[in-house]
Amino acid sequence: MIFSPKEFANLSPRFQNGVRVTKEFHLPPFDLRLAMDTLAAKDPLLVPLIKETQEFRVERGAAESPYEVLLESIAYQSISGKAAATIFGRIKALSGNGRAPSPEQMLKLRKPVLRKAGLSGAKILAMKDLAQKTIDGVVPTLEQAEKLSDEELVARLVSVRGIGAWTVEMFLIFRLGRPDVLPIHDLGVKKGWSVTYGKKHMPKPKELLAFGERWRPYRTVASWYMWRAFERAGYAATNKIRPAKVRKPKPSKSKRPARKRL
Protein backbone atom coordinates (compact mmCIF):
# COMPACT_ATOMS: atom_id res chain seq x y z
CA MET A 1 0.00 0.00 0.00
CA ILE A 2 1.38 3.43 -0.94
CA PHE A 3 0.40 6.57 0.93
CA SER A 4 0.84 10.27 0.28
CA PRO A 5 2.34 12.22 3.24
CA LYS A 6 -1.16 13.44 4.16
CA GLU A 7 -2.62 9.93 4.03
CA PHE A 8 0.38 8.61 5.96
CA ALA A 9 -0.29 11.12 8.75
CA ASN A 10 -3.90 9.92 8.95
CA LEU A 11 -3.10 6.25 9.46
CA SER A 12 -4.25 4.47 12.58
CA PRO A 13 -2.09 5.62 15.49
CA ARG A 14 -1.35 1.95 16.01
CA PHE A 15 0.70 1.81 12.82
CA GLN A 16 1.71 5.43 12.17
CA ASN A 17 5.32 5.79 10.98
CA GLY A 18 5.83 2.15 11.74
CA VAL A 19 5.24 2.75 15.44
CA ARG A 20 2.22 1.51 17.30
CA VAL A 21 1.34 4.30 19.69
CA THR A 22 0.79 2.72 23.09
CA LYS A 23 1.67 3.16 26.74
CA GLU A 24 3.39 -0.22 27.01
CA PHE A 25 6.36 -1.23 24.89
CA HIS A 26 8.27 -4.45 25.48
CA LEU A 27 11.36 -6.14 24.10
CA PRO A 28 10.65 -8.44 21.14
CA PRO A 29 10.72 -12.23 21.56
CA PHE A 30 14.14 -12.50 19.88
CA ASP A 31 17.65 -11.41 20.84
CA LEU A 32 17.53 -7.70 19.99
CA ARG A 33 21.18 -7.09 20.89
CA LEU A 34 22.27 -9.86 18.53
CA ALA A 35 20.02 -8.39 15.82
CA MET A 36 21.54 -4.91 16.19
CA ASP A 37 25.11 -6.26 16.27
CA THR A 38 24.44 -8.38 13.18
CA LEU A 39 22.96 -5.45 11.24
CA ALA A 40 25.80 -3.14 12.27
CA ALA A 41 28.35 -5.67 10.99
CA LYS A 42 26.49 -6.24 7.72
CA ASP A 43 25.55 -2.62 7.00
CA PRO A 44 27.79 0.14 8.46
CA LEU A 45 25.33 2.88 7.40
CA LEU A 46 22.92 1.56 10.01
CA VAL A 47 25.42 2.08 12.86
CA PRO A 48 24.54 5.76 13.55
CA LEU A 49 20.83 4.92 13.60
CA ILE A 50 21.41 2.00 15.94
CA LYS A 51 23.49 4.14 18.31
CA GLU A 52 21.43 7.31 18.24
CA THR A 53 17.77 6.28 17.95
CA GLN A 54 15.26 4.31 19.98
CA GLU A 55 15.50 0.53 20.03
CA PHE A 56 12.82 -1.64 18.47
CA ARG A 57 9.87 -2.48 20.72
CA VAL A 58 6.64 -4.45 20.41
CA GLU A 59 3.29 -4.02 22.11
CA ARG A 60 1.89 -6.66 24.40
CA GLY A 61 -1.79 -5.89 24.81
CA ALA A 62 -3.81 -7.59 27.53
CA ALA A 63 -6.38 -9.14 25.19
CA GLU A 64 -5.62 -8.45 21.57
CA SER A 65 -6.38 -11.33 19.28
CA PRO A 66 -5.76 -11.09 15.52
CA TYR A 67 -9.52 -10.57 15.21
CA GLU A 68 -9.51 -7.57 17.55
CA VAL A 69 -6.42 -6.00 15.98
CA LEU A 70 -7.79 -6.35 12.46
CA LEU A 71 -11.24 -5.12 13.48
CA GLU A 72 -9.68 -1.92 14.76
CA SER A 73 -7.49 -1.63 11.67
CA ILE A 74 -10.57 -1.73 9.44
CA ALA A 75 -12.21 1.02 11.51
CA TYR A 76 -9.13 3.23 11.05
CA GLN A 77 -8.80 2.83 7.27
CA SER A 78 -8.86 6.01 5.15
CA ILE A 79 -9.99 8.44 7.88
CA SER A 80 -8.24 10.55 10.51
CA GLY A 81 -7.12 8.88 13.71
CA LYS A 82 -9.39 11.10 15.82
CA ALA A 83 -12.50 10.28 13.80
CA ALA A 84 -11.63 6.58 13.73
CA ALA A 85 -11.12 6.48 17.50
CA THR A 86 -14.59 7.98 17.99
CA ILE A 87 -16.19 5.47 15.62
CA PHE A 88 -14.36 2.51 17.11
CA GLY A 89 -15.42 3.65 20.57
CA ARG A 90 -19.05 3.47 19.39
CA ILE A 91 -18.44 0.00 17.95
CA LYS A 92 -17.04 -1.22 21.28
CA ALA A 93 -20.04 0.26 23.10
CA LEU A 94 -22.29 -2.06 21.09
CA SER A 95 -20.78 -5.12 22.79
CA GLY A 96 -21.98 -4.06 26.23
CA ASN A 97 -18.68 -4.96 27.94
CA GLY A 98 -16.38 -2.16 26.76
CA ARG A 99 -14.45 -4.42 24.40
CA ALA A 100 -14.80 -4.96 20.68
CA PRO A 101 -17.88 -7.04 19.74
CA SER A 102 -17.09 -10.72 19.51
CA PRO A 103 -17.28 -12.35 16.06
CA GLU A 104 -20.70 -13.76 16.97
CA GLN A 105 -21.93 -10.34 18.10
CA MET A 106 -20.57 -8.65 14.99
CA LEU A 107 -22.50 -11.02 12.72
CA LYS A 108 -25.72 -10.29 14.60
CA LEU A 109 -25.33 -6.49 14.52
CA ARG A 110 -27.60 -5.02 11.86
CA LYS A 111 -26.25 -2.81 9.11
CA PRO A 112 -28.28 0.31 10.14
CA VAL A 113 -26.85 0.08 13.68
CA LEU A 114 -23.28 -0.08 12.34
CA ARG A 115 -24.02 2.70 9.87
CA LYS A 116 -25.26 4.86 12.73
CA ALA A 117 -21.97 4.19 14.56
CA GLY A 118 -20.18 5.75 11.60
CA LEU A 119 -19.03 2.80 9.49
CA SER A 120 -19.20 2.86 5.71
CA GLY A 121 -20.86 0.05 3.79
CA ALA A 122 -17.47 -1.31 2.74
CA LYS A 123 -16.19 -1.39 6.31
CA ILE A 124 -19.33 -3.16 7.52
CA LEU A 125 -18.83 -5.88 4.91
CA ALA A 126 -15.15 -6.15 5.86
CA MET A 127 -15.90 -6.46 9.59
CA LYS A 128 -18.57 -9.10 9.01
CA ASP A 129 -16.25 -11.05 6.71
CA LEU A 130 -13.56 -10.86 9.41
CA ALA A 131 -16.03 -12.14 11.99
CA GLN A 132 -17.15 -15.05 9.80
CA LYS A 133 -13.60 -16.06 8.92
CA THR A 134 -12.67 -15.94 12.61
CA ILE A 135 -15.55 -18.30 13.46
CA ASP A 136 -14.56 -20.54 10.53
CA GLY A 137 -10.98 -20.72 11.84
CA VAL A 138 -9.36 -18.91 8.91
CA VAL A 139 -8.36 -16.06 11.21
CA PRO A 140 -6.43 -17.77 14.02
CA THR A 141 -6.38 -17.11 17.75
CA LEU A 142 -3.31 -15.35 19.13
CA GLU A 143 -1.93 -18.67 20.40
CA GLN A 144 -2.41 -20.25 16.98
CA ALA A 145 -0.92 -17.21 15.21
CA GLU A 146 2.27 -17.47 17.26
CA LYS A 147 2.79 -21.00 15.89
CA LEU A 148 2.19 -20.12 12.23
CA SER A 149 4.89 -18.93 9.85
CA ASP A 150 4.86 -15.40 8.44
CA GLU A 151 3.81 -16.73 5.05
CA GLU A 152 0.93 -18.76 6.49
CA LEU A 153 -0.36 -15.78 8.46
CA VAL A 154 -0.20 -13.45 5.48
CA ALA A 155 -2.04 -15.95 3.29
CA ARG A 156 -4.78 -16.42 5.87
CA LEU A 157 -5.30 -12.81 6.90
CA VAL A 158 -5.24 -11.18 3.46
CA SER A 159 -8.15 -13.44 2.54
CA VAL A 160 -10.28 -11.18 4.75
CA ARG A 161 -12.15 -8.51 2.83
CA GLY A 162 -10.44 -5.11 3.20
CA ILE A 163 -7.22 -6.48 4.73
CA GLY A 164 -4.04 -6.08 2.68
CA ALA A 165 -0.48 -7.32 3.09
CA TRP A 166 0.67 -4.06 4.70
CA THR A 167 -1.82 -4.37 7.58
CA VAL A 168 -0.77 -7.97 8.15
CA GLU A 169 2.92 -6.99 8.08
CA MET A 170 2.29 -4.38 10.78
CA PHE A 171 0.56 -7.06 12.86
CA LEU A 172 3.51 -9.42 12.41
CA ILE A 173 5.98 -6.71 13.41
CA PHE A 174 4.29 -4.86 16.24
CA ARG A 175 2.03 -7.49 17.81
CA LEU A 176 3.93 -10.73 17.25
CA GLY A 177 7.45 -9.28 17.11
CA ARG A 178 8.50 -11.35 14.11
CA PRO A 179 12.19 -10.60 13.34
CA ASP A 180 12.34 -10.85 9.55
CA VAL A 181 9.50 -8.81 8.00
CA LEU A 182 10.24 -6.18 5.34
CA PRO A 183 7.24 -4.02 4.31
CA ILE A 184 8.45 -3.13 0.82
CA HIS A 185 5.42 -0.93 0.02
CA ASP A 186 5.59 1.17 3.19
CA LEU A 187 6.19 4.86 2.48
CA GLY A 188 8.19 5.46 5.66
CA VAL A 189 10.50 2.51 5.01
CA LYS A 190 11.07 3.54 1.40
CA LYS A 191 11.76 7.17 2.21
CA GLY A 192 13.92 6.20 5.19
CA TRP A 193 15.95 4.02 2.85
CA SER A 194 16.42 6.97 0.47
CA VAL A 195 17.60 9.16 3.34
CA THR A 196 19.96 6.53 4.76
CA TYR A 197 21.60 5.69 1.45
CA GLY A 198 21.61 9.19 -0.05
CA LYS A 199 19.13 8.58 -2.86
CA LYS A 200 16.93 11.22 -4.49
CA HIS A 201 14.32 8.65 -5.47
CA MET A 202 12.41 6.05 -3.51
CA PRO A 203 13.25 2.44 -4.36
CA LYS A 204 10.91 0.24 -6.30
CA PRO A 205 9.44 -2.55 -4.14
CA LYS A 206 11.50 -5.17 -5.98
CA GLU A 207 14.64 -3.08 -5.54
CA LEU A 208 14.01 -2.72 -1.80
CA LEU A 209 13.30 -6.44 -1.50
CA ALA A 210 16.60 -7.29 -3.22
CA PHE A 211 18.53 -4.73 -1.15
CA GLY A 212 17.00 -6.08 2.05
CA GLU A 213 18.58 -9.50 1.55
CA ARG A 214 21.66 -8.13 3.33
CA TRP A 215 19.51 -7.52 6.43
CA ARG A 216 18.28 -11.10 6.83
CA PRO A 217 17.33 -12.56 9.28
CA TYR A 218 16.54 -9.21 10.96
CA ARG A 219 14.70 -7.24 8.28
CA THR A 220 12.12 -6.14 10.86
CA VAL A 221 14.79 -4.33 12.87
CA ALA A 222 16.27 -2.80 9.71
CA SER A 223 12.79 -1.57 8.76
CA TRP A 224 12.47 -0.02 12.21
CA TYR A 225 15.64 1.99 11.56
CA MET A 226 14.37 3.07 8.16
CA TRP A 227 11.35 4.52 9.98
CA ARG A 228 13.69 6.26 12.44
CA ALA A 229 15.71 7.71 9.54
CA PHE A 230 12.48 8.99 7.99
CA GLU A 231 11.43 10.63 11.26
CA ARG A 232 14.83 12.22 11.91
CA ALA A 233 15.01 13.70 8.42
CA GLY A 234 11.63 15.42 8.82
CA TYR A 235 8.94 16.15 6.25
CA ALA A 236 10.76 19.14 4.75
CA ALA A 237 13.55 16.83 3.58
CA THR A 238 11.56 13.67 2.87
CA ASN A 239 8.95 15.51 0.79
CA LYS A 240 11.72 16.23 -1.71
CA ILE A 241 12.33 12.54 -2.30
CA ARG A 242 10.83 11.65 -5.64
CA PRO A 243 8.89 8.49 -6.57
CA ALA A 244 10.76 5.51 -7.92
CA LYS A 245 12.14 5.92 -11.40
CA VAL A 246 10.05 4.30 -14.07
CA ARG A 247 11.81 3.32 -17.25
CA LYS A 248 10.05 4.57 -20.30
CA PRO A 249 9.78 2.00 -23.07
CA LYS A 250 11.99 2.80 -26.02
CA PRO A 251 10.01 3.89 -29.06
CA SER A 252 9.96 1.15 -31.65
CA LYS A 253 11.63 1.97 -34.93
CA SER A 254 8.95 2.16 -37.55
CA LYS A 255 9.82 0.46 -40.77
CA ARG A 256 9.47 2.44 -43.95
CA PRO A 257 6.74 1.12 -46.17
CA ALA A 258 8.14 -0.89 -49.06
CA ARG A 259 8.10 0.88 -52.41
CA LYS A 260 5.76 -0.52 -54.94
CA ARG A 261 7.42 -1.69 -58.07
CA LEU A 262 6.10 -0.05 -61.18
Side-chain angles (χ1 to χ4, degrees):
M1 187 178 294
I2 302 173
F3 298 96
S4 69
K6 183 177 180 181
E7 290 169 329
F8 194 68
N10 286 335
L11 289 176
S12 163
R14 306 172 65 78
F15 299 147
Q16 201 170 63
N17 292 342
V19 182
R20 295 183 57 168
V21 178
T22 176
K23 294 180 181 179
E24 294 185 11
F25 282 109
H26 296 267
L27 288 169
F30 57 87
D31 190 331
L32 183 57
R33 179 54 55 188
L34 175 60
M36 294 189 294
D37 289 346
T38 301
L39 288 171
K42 288 185 173 185
D43 193 340
L45 288 179
L46 292 181
V47 173
L49 289 167
I50 293 171
K51 287 183 176 179
E52 299 166 13
T53 63
Q54 186 181 21
E55 294 179 344
F56 174 60
R57 291 290 186 270
V58 297
E59 179 188 347
R60 290 295 183 193
E64 284 196 318
S65 63
Y67 164 75
E68 291 172 301
V69 172
L70 295 178
L71 192 73
E72 186 174 0
S73 298
I74 292 168
Y76 273 82
Q77 287 174 355
S78 305
I79 58 176
S80 71
K82 185 177 180 181
T86 299
I87 292 170
F88 195 62
R90 294 174 189 153
I91 299 300
K92 289 194 290 185
L94 296 173
S95 71
N97 60 13
R99 289 180 56 182
S102 68
E104 292 78 10
Q105 287 175 319
M106 178 54 66
L107 288 179
K108 290 178 181 178
L109 287 170
R110 299 185 66 185
K111 187 174 180 180
V113 173
L114 294 170
R115 277 280 201 182
K116 189 176 180 180
L119 291 176
S120 66
K123 289 185 179 182
I124 292 170
L125 290 174
M127 286 187 176
K128 287 189 176 290
D129 188 49
L130 172 64
Q132 187 62 59
K133 284 188 168 67
T134 301
I135 292 170
D136 294 342
V138 176
V139 176
T141 64
L142 183 59
E143 292 73 20
Q144 291 168 340
E146 288 172 342
K147 296 175 183 177
L148 294 172
S149 69
D150 295 351
E151 293 75 17
E152 288 172 319
L153 274 170
V154 171
R156 283 199 190 195
L157 300 183
V158 298
S159 71
V160 176
R161 186 184 185 113
I163 296 297
W166 182 86
T167 299
V168 181
E169 288 164 350
M170 296 303 105
F171 174 73
L172 290 171
I173 291 172
F174 295 106
R175 184 62 183 90
L176 298 183
R178 295 293 173 89
D180 198 33
V181 180
L182 177 57
I184 58 175
H185 297 284
D186 186 277
L187 181 66
V189 171
K190 292 193 293 184
K191 286 199 170 186
W193 181 89
S194 300
V195 170
T196 303
Y197 300 98
K199 306 294 184 180
K200 294 181 179 179
H201 293 81
M202 285 188 283
K204 296 176 183 177
K206 286 184 178 180
E207 180 184 0
L208 184 56
L209 184 65
F211 186 93
E213 286 298 311
R214 71 187 63 189
W215 297 331
R216 283 184 183 273
Y218 299 112
R219 293 182 297 171
T220 290
V221 183
S223 299
W224 172 268
Y225 288 117
M226 294 302 98
W227 279 313
R228 305 289 73 76
F230 172 82
E231 286 181 341
R232 292 211 309 176
Y235 283 111
T238 56
N239 283 346
K240 295 178 182 178
I241 298 172
R242 297 191 288 273
K245 289 182 177 178
V246 178
R247 288 185 180 181
K248 294 182 179 179
K250 293 181 180 180
S252 58
K253 295 180 180 179
S254 57
K255 295 182 180 180
R256 292 181 181 179
R259 289 186 178 181
K260 292 181 180 181
R261 293 184 179 181
L262 300 176

